[in-house]
Amino acid sequence: MKNRFIKKPNKQKKKRQVIPLRLNILFFVIFILFSALILRLGVVQIVQGETYKRQLEETDDVSVTKNVPRGVIYDRNYNLLVGNSAVKSITYARSEKTPPSEMISVAKKLDKLITVTPDTKLTERDLQDYWILTHEKASLARLTKAEKNLDGAKAYKKQVENVTKADLDSLSSEDKRIATIYKKMTAGYALSQVAIKSKGVTDEEIAKVSENLESLPGVDTTTDWNRFYTYDETLRSILGSVSTEKQGIPSDKVDYYLAQGYSRNDRVGRSYLEAQYESVLAGQKSKSNSVLDSNGNIVETVEKYEGSKGKDLVLSVDVEFQKKVEEILKNNMQIGKASGGSDLFDRAFAVAMDPYTGQVLALAGQKINDKGEYEDYSLGNFTTAYNMGSAVKGATVLAGIMSDAITENTVFVDQPIVFKGTRPKSSWFNRNGERSLSLNPVGALEISSNSYMYQTAMKMAGAKYVYNGPFRASPETFDKMRYYYNQFGLGVKTGIDLPGEQVGFKGDDKTVGKILDFAIGQYDSYTPLQLAQYGATIANGGYRIQPTMLKEIRDPSTNGDTVGKVATEQEPKVLNQIGVPSSAIKEVQEGFYAVTHGGNGTGKGYFGDLPVSVAGKTGTAQAFYDGPKKESAMAGVWNTTFVGYAPAEKPEISIAVVVPWGYRDNGSSDPKINMKISAQIFKAYFDLKEERAKAGKDTSKVDQPINNKAAAAAAQTKLND
């Protein structure tokens, strides 16, 4: 029985004896590792601590940005209007700590590597600064002991004063070249690139500079760009311009651009479309981190973001149509200048737009300068204003209906209007009452009755007409009439996507009788673009659409043969709807049709050769000259206008033509160039449409080709030459 309790070997106990051994080995290894780490930390902190601390203090990590190519601009049919021409460039970027002596040293080395012509605009001060930097000891020796103790700026001023004419005369052509390079180097801001040479840089120069970059701190070789314009002066004033590196961001927008991350010497859009769509065209700058040593020199650069080229604009304008409209203006201005009393005539305008989308198809303006040459004056369509005359009578009729002064069926007898103590006011065809016609709104528009509009304005003013009696009306009638005119875009900004739009001028004579002149377009002045928006509002059935120069925004082209993918399409924007029944709008549309087709129409006989019917309203305004010839200020002149659309049944195009100061108010005859221009514009539009239909041109392809590559290449070559 005792044998049952024989003790067996304890295997579990043997296993436990192995574990402490392994743990000891592990602890020993960890001890060795920690000892090595502690030893290393000791070496770094105690032995090399001062070295690393000094290196940390001597270097700085900064962010450097570089510009990217700007987006290009196309017309609605993908013809390149504005492009970029790549140019080799040698640039320089200084740090905040780079001393002038180092910059002079770099400039001297560059002068041996590249060809630079001395700047003819080097000022005396530029040369004085250069002489002082290159003759530092001699310059300091000329200072008195008291002058040496002055603060830095005052002491330097004395150094400048001590530079003699003989000192400057001693500077060689080499010195002036180096001074030119140095001046360009100092033109930029710290850590921003400036071009030392960006025109005519040869491959040999690029190679020489690239081989010596280590000894040229801050210098780099890169590719810059210049804007080229395929069609020279066509739309030139509207396309705008881009600042040079020297000009940088506009002084009046410094805070705005700096807040957007721009540098002071960045190239930005300075005017019109280039400025309006700066955020689209500019793209995103490339970014890199640069390590600077204690002297501010870049010792290492790592690119963080390569940047992205600006997006491309596709304008609503048809450049081929635009060019034809410009030629039409020039040709007819020659006819006008050959007529009598045209010595003050120097400009003409035409706007064509899609009345349903607001897309501007052509925005043309021509001006004759002092040399008798034609200049693009497209911007005058929205920056200058004129009395438009009877062209605005459609707004008068609808204002009368909106204010309940008249109805669609109101009939007035056309008669001279006579108030006590004033000269009679009458229609052009009824000076003395010999042709007193009973007219409804359609008939009044057809024959352009002033009397009908006078009587409508009196009804709006709450005045009862009594022949040779007094005229009593509230001055508030002016504001009332403007309220209704504004709904058509007359007297308010149209909202076009261009900076600098004007609203015109309000007549300042508050004599209540002037409301009669207001009603026939001879009191307030409007811009040609406002007249166009008003015409488009009539054409589309009463919707005031915001005009736009933009059709779409596209991503940059990837191959240079086709445009990029659509990023954004411009949608029509309705600003307001005219507050009348559609039947009232149709009444005015019938009146516009009668103007060009009726037996008494003031515009009949001008549009018979067109393949479509035209509707519109003519205008003639007696005005006062306020142009550049100051000696003729306030001379009596005539403005002639036309606003219309086609086809009359379903308009595709709405136009406004304005010919200011066409002839003097001295018995000169009207050459009717406003009507000739209008007819030719419609013809040009529909002829182009037919030609393109026959040619089978399609601008809706997925991979839309750039249609004028040859013309664009020629313009680019011309720029580079």
Side-chain angles (χ1 to χ4, degrees):
M1 295 295 292
K2 292 182 179 179
N3 290 338
R4 292 176 60 188
F5 298 99
I6 295 174
K7 202 171 185 179
K8 296 181 180 180
N10 191 338
K11 295 181 180 181
Q12 183 69 24
K13 188 174 181 181
K14 289 183 179 181
K15 288 181 180 179
R16 287 179 181 175
Q17 291 176 349
V18 177
I19 293 174
L21 178 61
R22 291 178 178 175
L23 282 175
N24 287 336
I25 294 173
L26 178 61
F27 288 150
F28 180 73
V29 171
I30 292 173
F31 172 76
I32 295 297
L33 291 175
F34 268 103
S35 298
L37 179 61
I38 292 170
L39 179 64
R40 178 58 182 165
L41 289 173
V43 172
V44 169
Q45 185 172 356
I46 299 171
V47 180
Q48 298 177 324
E50 289 300 317
T51 300
Y52 283 116
K53 182 179 180 182
R54 186 168 60 253
Q55 288 181 353
L56 181 63
E57 291 173 348
E58 290 178 352
T59 62
D60 193 12
D61 194 23
V62 298
S63 179
V64 180
T65 61
K66 293 183 180 180
N67 289 328
V68 294
R70 198 169 178 83
V72 302
I73 303 176
Y74 301 97
D75 84 330
R76 69 182 300 110
N77 297 315
Y78 308 105
N79 293 297
L80 186 64
L81 302 178
V82 184
N84 297 319
S85 179
V87 291
K88 301 182 186 71
S89 181
I90 296 170
T91 63
Y92 177 76
R94 63 183 175 85
S95 75
E96 295 177 348
K97 299 179 181 179
T98 304
S101 57
E102 180 185 299
M103 295 171 70
I104 285 290
S105 174
V106 171
K108 288 180 177 179
K109 292 177 182 177
L110 276 176
D111 180 57
K112 304 296 183 183
L113 302 174
I114 63 177
T115 301
V116 175
T117 303
D119 190 349
T120 57
K121 295 182 180 180
L122 278 175
T123 64
E124 181 180 13
R125 178 57 187 267
D126 292 331
L127 295 175
Q128 289 170 333
D129 290 338
Y130 175 78
W131 189 90
I132 292 171
L133 285 169
T134 53
H135 299 79
E136 189 173 358
K137 290 183 179 179
S139 176
L140 290 173
R142 294 179 182 181
L143 297 178
T144 64
K145 185 175 181 181
E147 289 172 343
K148 290 179 180 179
N149 291 328
L150 294 172
D151 63 55
K154 292 180 179 179
Y156 189 78
K157 183 179 179 182
K158 290 295 181 182
Q159 285 181 272
V160 172
E161 292 173 355
N162 291 336
V163 177
T164 66
K165 184 177 183 300
D167 293 332
L168 300 184
D169 290 342
S170 69
L171 295 176
S172 64
S173 57
E174 179 184 358
D175 287 318
K176 291 178 180 178
R177 291 197 307 269
I178 297 170
T180 295
I181 296 173
Y182 176 74
K183 181 179 180 179
K184 292 181 178 180
M185 294 168 75
T186 58
Y189 296 88
L191 297 174
S192 64
Q193 286 188 331
V194 292
I196 302 300
K197 184 175 182 180
S198 59
K199 189 172 183 179
V201 179
T202 65
D203 292 337
E204 183 180 1
E205 288 174 324
I206 292 290
K208 287 181 178 179
V209 171
S210 298
E211 290 171 0
N212 291 274
L213 288 179
E214 290 187 3
S215 63
L216 298 169
V219 175
D220 197 5
T221 58
T222 185
T223 300
D224 199 359
W225 51 267
N226 288 322
R227 282 305 224 193
F228 70 87
Y229 302 86
T230 306
Y231 297 100
D232 296 323
E233 291 301 306
T234 297
L235 273 178
R236 190 65 186 84
S237 61
I238 296 297
L239 293 170
S241 61
V242 179
S243 65
T244 63
E245 198 170 49
K246 183 177 180 180
Q247 293 168 331
I249 58 180
S251 58
D252 60 335
K253 295 183 178 179
V254 168
D255 292 340
Y256 169 78
Y257 279 118
L258 291 180
Q260 300 297 317
Y262 284 75
S263 300
R264 290 181 181 271
N265 62 315
D266 277 348
R267 300 177 66 184
V268 299
R270 295 182 65 191
S271 58
Y272 300 104
L273 284 171
E274 291 277 17
Q276 181 73 21
Y277 289 102
E278 168 65 25
S279 61
V280 176
L281 293 166
Q284 297 294 321
K285 294 181 179 181
S286 64
K287 294 182 180 181
S288 57
N289 283 350
S290 295
V291 179
L292 309 181
D293 61 19
S294 59
N295 294 321
N297 296 317
I298 298 174
V299 295
E300 183 183 11
T301 298
V302 179
E303 185 175 74
K304 296 295 183 182
Y305 173 58
E306 65 178 4
S308 60
K309 180 184 174 183
K311 292 186 183 296
D312 299 336
L313 299 184
V314 178
L315 302 186
S316 60
V317 172
D318 182 331
V319 71
E320 194 172 355
F321 179 49
Q322 171 80 22
K323 290 177 68 177
K324 288 182 180 295
V325 173
E326 289 176 353
E327 285 303 310
I328 289 168
L329 290 180
K330 291 177 185 178
N331 293 338
N332 283 282
M333 287 174 73
Q334 289 180 352
I335 295 172
K337 289 299 290 182
S339 303
S342 63
D343 56 306
L344 301 178
F345 172 44
D346 69 347
R347 63 195 65 190
F349 305 97
V351 182
M353 59 193 295
D354 183 324
Y356 291 98
T357 66
Q359 292 184 5
V360 176
L361 305 175
L363 189 71
Q366 290 293 312
K367 183 166 64 172
I368 302 173
N369 62 24
D370 294 337
K371 299 178 182 179
E373 301 168 334
Y374 288 98
E375 294 179 350
D376 174 57
Y377 197 36
S378 300
L379 60 85
N381 279 291
F382 58 93
T383 61
T384 61
Y386 311 92
N387 293 132
M388 298 301 182
S390 299
V392 305
K393 286 178 178 175
T396 301
V397 169
L398 289 171
I401 295 173
M402 282 189 281
S403 64
D404 295 324
I406 64 172
T407 71
E408 301 165 28
N409 302 311
T410 296
V411 174
F412 290 130
V413 175
D414 187 290
Q415 58 183 315
I417 303 298
V418 181
F419 292 110
K420 188 175 181 178
T422 65
R423 296 175 59 185
K425 299 177 77 67
S426 67
S427 300
W428 63 276
F429 57 86
N430 194 21
R431 297 297 185 194
N432 301 306
E434 68 276 12
R435 197 179 176 195
S436 297
L437 305 174
S438 294
L439 301 171
N440 63 9
V442 173
L445 291 170
E446 175 186 354
I447 202 167
S448 198
S449 169
N450 288 345
S451 182
Y452 192 98
M453 306 305 153
Y454 297 152
Q455 294 178 66
T456 298
M458 286 189 285
K459 289 286 187 181
M460 292 179 69
K464 185 176 181 180
Y465 174 62
V466 177
Y467 179 83
N468 206 31
F471 179 43
R472 296 186 179 92
S474 169
E476 294 178 359
T477 305
F478 288 111
D479 295 332
K480 181 179 182 180
M481 295 181 73
R482 288 186 181 116
Y483 168 76
Y484 292 115
Y485 276 55
N486 290 170
Q487 294 186 42
F488 297 92
L490 297 171
V492 293
K493 289 188 176 182
T494 66
I496 192 169
D497 48 343
L498 287 168
E501 182 182 8
Q502 302 299 312
V503 296
F505 299 95
K506 297 177 180 179
D508 56 5
D509 184 348
K510 298 304 181 183
T511 304
V512 292
K514 290 294 181 180
I515 65 172
L516 306 186
D517 296 328
F518 192 118
I520 63 170
Q522 296 193 166
Y523 186 63
D524 282 6
S525 62
Y526 311 113
T527 67
L529 185 61
Q530 288 173 335
L531 190 69
Q533 188 179 53
Y534 148 71
T537 303
I538 301 296
N540 67 32
Y543 297 88
R544 183 165 76 99
I545 309 294
Q546 180 175 310
T548 178
M549 296 293 293
L550 183 66
K551 181 173 178 277
E552 58 196 22
I553 296 172
R554 289 195 173 237
D555 292 330
S557 172
T558 56
N559 55 22
D561 294 322
T562 60
V563 298
K565 295 180 180 179
V566 175
T568 306
E569 289 188 88
Q570 187 77 350
E571 297 294 333
K573 183 177 181 180
V574 178
L575 300 178
N576 62 267
Q577 183 179 1
I578 304 303
V580 294
S582 59
S583 58
I585 297 290
K586 289 179 180 177
E587 187 85 358
V588 173
Q589 290 175 338
E590 287 179 21
F592 277 27
Y593 186 84
V595 167
T596 55
H597 294 82
N600 295 315
T602 55
K604 69 174 183 178
Y606 290 96
F607 306 102
D609 294 335
L610 297 178
V612 298
S613 59
V614 172
K617 184 70 190 76
T618 60
T620 305
Q622 193 172 20
F624 297 101
Y625 177 76
D626 61 347
K629 296 182 178 180
K630 301 303 180 184
E631 68 278 6
S632 297
M634 300 305 292
V637 291
W638 289 91
N639 302 339
T640 58
T641 60
F642 178 81
V643 60
Y645 48 88
E649 305 78 23
K650 190 176 181 181
E652 295 178 22
I653 177 175
S654 175
I655 74 168
V657 172
V658 179
V659 182
W661 319 323
Y663 54 100
R664 283 183 180 262
D665 184 17
N666 58 3
S668 302
S669 60
D670 182 0
K672 301 289 185 181
I673 66 170
N674 61 319
M675 303 306 298
K676 295 171 184 175
I677 290 170
S678 301
Q680 290 169 27
I681 288 175
F682 281 125
K683 187 176 188 307
Y685 175 82
F686 288 104
D687 283 351
L688 270 176
K689 181 181 178 182
E690 184 179 0
E691 289 173 15
R692 289 167 178 169
K694 289 180 178 178
K697 289 188 176 180
D698 180 9
T699 57
S700 61
K701 298 177 182 177
V702 175
D703 295 321
Q704 175 60 48
I706 298 172
N707 286 324
N708 64 336
K709 285 191 64 179
Q716 186 174 9
T717 301
K718 182 179 178 181
L719 173 70
N720 294 336
D721 291 344

